[in-house]
């Protein structure tokens, strides 16, 4: 008797069972050349070689894919209000914020505009194979509601929260800290834990928060310890200098957040391009995570993130990848990986394909302490997955000709590497959210 | 009476009448919002506002395009034999050559393989809007013949020559200098000036040439002064160090080429990432050109090219863009421009869209002393052009929404910038070679 609630996906699966920065790649990668994943209620019920499972599940509806099936990508840092202003010319961080970002974010007071962009934004994530994201919004509570509504409609695992800003921004983007605290409380009550949605306390960065506002952020974290902290850290030299001037008593930028108890497990710090050794160590010891945003760091000329230091043996820090649109230049995490490779190369390091894909999948899930729910194909996890086409363009197809029919880990690594260097949205053949096909 | 040899293209045209690095952009760019280009025998017969020409040419067949029509892109440095090995993992220049490049180039002894790749390579250039290219081949004369044959079949303006290598390479890629000299002479006799084809004397780089071979290169240049010199210069620190060890009597890397009279007008030096001030000055004074290869310099971790120094007021050097596939990560010059922007940003400089597109069009033509033939839309020039679609993907379309119906230079600059940051082969709506549509 076939259980009508079951369905299956068959194909070549690649995911991670360990961190390839610390374990041999051959022991970190799980590759099933001909695998079967059985789904029930949006979760992975069974996952193994097809030959092992086929007898038991031969009767259930099964979709077979060519290409490589991976866990859906996790975007650890992205601004949905900046979608429209992607690729804004000619400035570095602080000038870019004033000239382009703040005027654009002001538009999110308009609910209709916010909804149009939220829908576009989420669909663009899905089109690019991103199934989970940690999203910055604006100071307008409506802009948060609308993002959560649209994410809920798509059943995405999404983390967001109201942007907290109380100084050093145009008047139309400044909120009163106590009002912001109250608005956050209402939004938390409405959204935290609804379906797959989670809430992040989101002070934009130290520059735009008064100490009073950071105290309210800390108060929220004390009241709701399960929430995330999501903010920026050490992106750009001028930003760091300005922060030091605003917080002269703190020994460094990270210490501002430390002072307000905002650094720990479930704290996501975007960028961290210019951290000193001590800050890397303190992030490591605290359990906080870095959202590494390669395309953004190059586009704004922020600098070269020291991934090898973040993933050191001595003081390992949790790291995932952020697209950081609109400073980032693509929603595609394949592009994030490609630019990350180039940034490593400029520092005399090499970022392997498996390491890069780890950062975008299980690494991101671990950064969010969500690795019991997403990021790999363990049974019981939510079935967010992406089907990648290594041959999406003529040049990729030519490049892969030599390894056709080769199913070694080396050949798979080469195909994945080809996608991170040459791929784009066309590499995403299908995206599944909790077992449902949402892009094909 | 309509002349049956005439046809026309109508649309929005953008080209350059001067160098925007040295003149105000508003005086360097020529923008015809509604222009008409009349073609005869593959050349531009008339080019002006539609309203001015329409009476005289209302009867000739006219193709109208949306988007922006620009001169076809010029790729100043690319290796056709490396097409298949694009995106090869994990090495910097010298190790990458030994591990990936040399074994791949060995395959070009096989004529059938060479023809398959040559055809693919040229079609890929056209698909990406590149209409002229300066191409490295291999030491095998057949690989040169085949590239020229395929380029001639496509009527492309292509510059190439037999690769000269006589040491520091595997035996199968080493040629005897006098034999190479004779083979070059035969190839020059066969190809130089045939249709739109031009010949380049091509010592790979100082490391793989004995002084004897460089003397033969110099002899060829003396015998055929109209030929190009095409080689590499100062790409990578280890390469520079090795060169210094091989040529201890020369004061720097450039001086090796100077010693053999290989530096002057029509000399193309790829990379020049690590030039000293003196070398920049000597390149400027000699009239030689730099092929700036942004995607390659990042992919191999070679370093950040100092474009602002090459385009200085005091010692201006001719500069164009090279894709440098297979070290480069795309045939698209839009991608070269996007990575060039990021490289400038990392150095605290901004590369405007008009400057970037200048480098890929008229800048490249001037670097080749071919600006009387290609690179802009002056009457009498060869009609190589590309139709760009600024809205090729959903995110680009959204980004451009705000400037729809705005025909100011600022709006055009923004659309072009959007393509260099977000665009790819899909941005190329049509490519024309000498007035004939070859990609649509």
């Amino acid at each position: 008797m076939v259980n009508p609630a079951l369905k299956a996906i068959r194909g070549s699966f690649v995911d991670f069972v360990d961190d390839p920065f610390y374990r041999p790649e051959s022991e970190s990668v799980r590759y099933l050349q001909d695998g079967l994943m059985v789904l029930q209620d949006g979760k992975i019920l069974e996952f193994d070689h097809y030959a092992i499972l086929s007898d038991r599940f031969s009767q259930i509806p099964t979709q077979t894919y060519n290409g490589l099936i991976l866990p859906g990508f996790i975007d650890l840092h992205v601004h949905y209000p900046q979608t429209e202003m992607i690729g804004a010319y000619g400035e570095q961080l602080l000038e870019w914020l004033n000239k382009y970002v703040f005027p654009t974010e002001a538009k999110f007071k308009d609910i209709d505009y916010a909804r149009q962009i939220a829908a576009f934004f989420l669909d663009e994530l899905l089109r690019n194979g991103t199934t989970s994201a940690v999203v910055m919004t604006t100071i307008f509570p409506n802009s948060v509601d609308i993002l959560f509504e649209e994410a809920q409609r798509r059943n995405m695992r999404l983390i967001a929260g109201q942007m907290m800003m109380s100084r050093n921004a145009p008047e139309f983007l400044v909120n009163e800290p106590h009002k912001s605290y109250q608005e956050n409380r209402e939004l938390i009550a409405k959204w935290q834990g609804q379906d797959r949605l989670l809430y992040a306390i989101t002070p934009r960065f130290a520059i735009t928060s008064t100490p009073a506002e950071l105290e309210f952020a800390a108060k929220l974290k004390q009241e709701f310890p399960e929430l995330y902290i999501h903010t920026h850290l050490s992106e750009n030299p001028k930003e760091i200098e300005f922060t030091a001037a605003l917080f002269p008593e703190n020994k460094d930028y990270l210490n501002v957040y430390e002072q307000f108890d905002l650094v720990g497990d479930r704290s996501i710090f975007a960028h961290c391009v210019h951290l000193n050794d001590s800050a890397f160590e303190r992030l490591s010891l605290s359990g906080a995570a870095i959202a590494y945003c390669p395309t953004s760091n190059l586009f704004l000329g922020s600098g070269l993130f020291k991934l090898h230091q973040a993933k050191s043996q001595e003081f390992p820090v949790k790291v995932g990848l952020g697209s950081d649109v609109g400073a980032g230049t693509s929603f595609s995490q394949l592009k994030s990986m490609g630019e990350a490779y180039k940034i490593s190369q400029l520092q005399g390091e090499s970022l392997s394909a498996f390491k890069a894909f780890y950062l975008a999948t299980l690494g991101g899930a671990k950064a969010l302490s969500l690795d019991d729910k997403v990021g790999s194909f363990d049974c019981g996890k939510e079935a967010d997955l992406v089907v990648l086409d290594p041959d999406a363009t003529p040049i990729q197809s030519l490049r892969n000709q030599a390894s056709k029919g080769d199913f070694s880990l080396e050949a798979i690594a080469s195909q994945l590497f080809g996608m991170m260097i040459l791929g784009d949205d066309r590499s995403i053949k299908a995206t599944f959210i909790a077992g449902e096909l949402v892009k094909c």
Side-chain angles (χ1 to χ4, degrees), chain A residues 9-25:
Chain A
I9 297 170
R10 181 179 177 184
S12 291
F13 292 83
V14 180
D15 73 334
F16 296 90
V17 294
D18 214 329
D19 185 339
F21 285 89
Y22 301 105
R23 298 274 294 174
E25 298 202 334

Side-chain angles (χ1 to χ4, degrees), chain A residues 293-304 327 329 338-340 342-343 346:
Chain A
C293 306
T295 74
S296 167
N297 294 343
L298 293 179
F299 182 72
L300 291 183
S302 302
L304 308 179
T329 53
E339 297 291 67
K342 291 174 173 178
I343 290 171
L346 285 172

Side-chain angles (χ1 to χ4, degrees), chain A residues 56-188:
Chain A
R56 285 170 54 208
F57 298 102
S58 63
Q59 302 300 309
I60 67 174
T62 299
Q63 172 79 52
T64 300
Y65 284 99
N66 292 319
L68 297 172
I69 307 172
L70 274 81
F73 300 140
I74 295 170
D75 189 338
L76 221 54
H77 178 67
V78 58
H79 294 251
Y80 102 86
Q82 296 173 16
T83 302
E84 191 192 35
M85 44 141 298
I86 192 170
Y89 169 73
E91 307 294 347
Q92 301 218 351
L93 179 63
L94 297 182
E95 299 77 10
W96 172 83
L97 283 170
N98 284 309
K99 184 168 174 181
Y100 297 111
V101 174
F102 292 155
T104 307
E105 290 191 1
K107 294 165 77 173
F108 284 74
K109 211 172 173 171
D110 175 346
I111 295 178
D112 294 337
Y113 179 78
R115 192 173 300 281
Q116 180 209 329
I117 297 296
F120 180 95
F121 166 81
L122 294 171
D123 290 342
E124 195 69 5
L125 288 181
L126 295 172
R127 237 170 53 73
N128 283 283
T130 295
T131 50
S132 290
V134 186
V135 187
M136 290 218 163
T137 61
T138 71
I139 65 158
F140 308 114
N142 278 330
S143 75
V144 186
D145 280 326
I146 282 164
L147 179 70
F148 276 133
E149 283 169 30
E150 293 295 325
Q152 189 172 38
R153 181 173 304 174
R154 289 164 181 78
N155 198 24
M156 288 176 76
R157 190 160 273 291
L158 193 113
I159 299 169
Q162 183 188 18
M163 190 86 99
M164 300 174 83
M165 297 170 71
S166 52
R167 64 170 167 177
N168 293 318
E171 204 181 333
F172 54 77
L173 279 190
V174 164
N175 207 353
E176 194 280 307
H178 186 257
K179 180 159 163 273
S180 163
Y181 165 75
Q182 289 177 313
E183 288 169 345
N184 264 287
R185 280 189 59 105
E186 286 167 32
L187 289 162
I188 292 162

